[in-house]
């Protein structure tokens, strides 16, 4: 299914180097969208951008670390120079921090790092693309949150708190631009098999997967296609919302 009919449509994907971000970048490019592949891991961003280019798609890439504010503007300028506009941002940058840690053992330093990536990073990214979108009077912003932000995962205090914060931030931010053609939404996946999930203890993955009524993990392609639709012009009457991608775990 192709949701884009504008050949100049351009999307920035942050965290494009692997996992959900990579799948979204490849899917968007396959749908004819110009894709800026940004990641704190410059090498994987390069690989994805080259893969898109080899398949005939348009892409640029850059190192961007959401915890290093100075890396944001140069990356976005690169996308502006290459494509002339930024129609959408897909923010997949996220970390779990330490897991399997009961709340009384949470290291505040670890909490701060997870906060800087998952929540503060989302604010900074939004702030860097919004001026472009306001000029265009059009924009789509999608932050990937998590089911953990809706329900809380045991042993994942920092992750759950920052994802809940992201869901709240999206609700608020969306209202600021609701009359300016800009939608801001979140996505709450349950378990999608990616390197992030592979790095978790098996007990944590089992705990999360057991809660999914469909009794399976989500597929990368299921995430990528939903993301593509949410950041397309077709998704025009929904803002401030957290889309569910949880195999029936969350029905709200
Ligand atoms: N995989 C899942 O089951 C799942 C479930 C719920 C939510 N999520 C969320 O989806 C998003 C993507 O997850 P994933 O599973 O693909 O993870 P992943 O670890 O496989 O990929 C994350 C990407 O983000 C990049 N990144 C990390 N920190 C960054 C930073 N400071 N600045 C820029 N880029 C950075 C990484 O280099 C990596 O390429 C995350 O926000 C995650 O919390 C994933």
């Amino acid at each position: 299914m192709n949701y884009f009919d504008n050949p100049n449509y351009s999307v920035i994907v942050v965290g494009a180097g692997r996992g959900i971000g990579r799948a979204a970048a490849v899917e968007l490019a396959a749908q004819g969208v110009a894709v800026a592949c940004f990641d704190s891991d410059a090498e994987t961003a390069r690989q994805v951008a080259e893969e898109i280019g080899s398949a005939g798609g348009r892409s640029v890439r850059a190192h961007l670390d959401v915890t290093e504010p100075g890396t944001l503007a140069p990356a976005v300028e690169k996308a502006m120079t290459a494509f002339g506009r930024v129609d959408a941002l897909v923010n997949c940058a996220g970390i779990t921090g330490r897991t399997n840690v009961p709340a009384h053992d949470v290291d505040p330093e670890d909490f701060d790092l997870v906060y800087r990536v998952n929540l503060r990073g989302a604010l900074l990214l939004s702030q860097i693309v919004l001026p472009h979108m306001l000029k265009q009077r059009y924009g789509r912003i999608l932050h990937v949150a998590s089911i953990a932000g809706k329900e809380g995962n045991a042993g994942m205090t920092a992750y759950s708190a920052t994802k809940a914060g992201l869901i709240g931030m999206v609700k608020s931010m969306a209202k600021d631009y609701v009359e300016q053609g800009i939608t801001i939404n979140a996505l709450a996946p349950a378990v999608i098999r990616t390197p992030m999930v592979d790095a978790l203890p098996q007990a944590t993955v089992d705990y999360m997967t057991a809660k999914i009524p469909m009794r399976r993990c989500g597929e990368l392609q299921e995430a990528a296609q939903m993301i593509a639709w949410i950041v397309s012009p077709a998704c025009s009457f929904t803002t401030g919302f957290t889309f569910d991608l949880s195999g029936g775990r969350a029905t709200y």
Side-chain angles (χ1 to χ4, degrees):
M1 188 93 63
N2 190 332
Y3 307 121
F4 303 90
D5 53 13
N6 173 0
N8 296 318
Y9 208 86
S10 86
V11 180
I12 288 173
V13 181
V14 178
R18 67 180 205 189
I20 295 172
R22 179 185 178 284
V26 169
E27 173 64 25
L28 285 160
Q31 294 202 22
V33 167
V35 183
C37 301
F38 298 160
D39 203 291
S40 55
D41 182 340
E43 176 54 21
T44 56
R46 183 189 66 75
Q47 287 167 8
V48 175
E50 281 185 9
E51 182 185 334
I52 289 171
S54 308
R58 287 168 302 149
S59 66
V60 291
R61 39 100 177 177
H63 169 257
L64 180 155
D65 188 325
V66 299
T67 67
E68 294 173 19
T71 64
L72 273 60
V76 172
E77 278 316 309
K78 204 166 174 184
M80 283 299 290
T81 303
F83 306 139
R85 47 189 293 129
V86 173
D87 291 298
L89 164 71
V90 177
N91 171 24
C92 300
I95 57 170
T96 59
R98 288 176 55 212
T99 59
N100 259 345
V101 182
H104 66 276
D105 281 337
V106 169
D107 176 355
E109 295 293 325
D110 186 62
F111 190 96
D112 286 350
L113 176 61
V114 176
Y115 158 74
R116 288 213 313 279
V117 177
N118 293 0
L119 189 51
R120 190 171 188 269
L123 172 70
L124 297 183
L125 282 173
S126 305
Q127 288 178 324
I128 203 88
V129 297
L130 276 164
H132 298 289
M133 294 176 174
L134 283 165
K135 266 190 222 141
Q136 297 163 185
R137 293 191 70 79
Y138 178 87
R140 299 277 183 265
I141 294 178
L142 177 65
H143 294 294
V144 180
S146 171
I147 189 82
K150 284 183 170 181
E151 304 216 330
N153 279 349
M156 297 177 77
T157 298
Y159 187 73
S160 302
T162 54
K163 294 298 187 178
L166 189 51
I167 290 169
M169 191 169 84
V170 157
K171 286 182 190 175
S172 172
M173 270 186 181
K175 293 186 174 71
D176 291 341
Y177 307 102
V178 79
E179 291 182 84
Q180 281 141 308
I182 300 168
T183 68
I184 306 179
N185 291 296
L187 178 68
V191 189
I192 314 285
R193 204 83 219 195
T194 67
M196 172 188 272
V197 171
D198 290 340
L200 293 173
Q202 191 55 42
T204 305
V205 179
D206 292 346
Y207 161 84
M208 296 188 306
T209 310
K211 290 179 179 293
I212 298 175
M214 287 188 190
R215 297 270 162 215
R216 67 171 178 87
C217 294
E219 301 287 335
L220 279 171
Q221 197 54 15
E222 290 172 320
Q225 285 181 355
M226 197 165 181
I227 289 169
W229 179 71
I230 295 168
V231 300
S232 77
C235 183
S236 51
F237 201 48
T238 305
T239 193
F241 186 60
T242 296
F243 287 84
D244 175 65
L245 186 67
S246 71
R249 179 171 168 191
T251 52
Y252 59 95

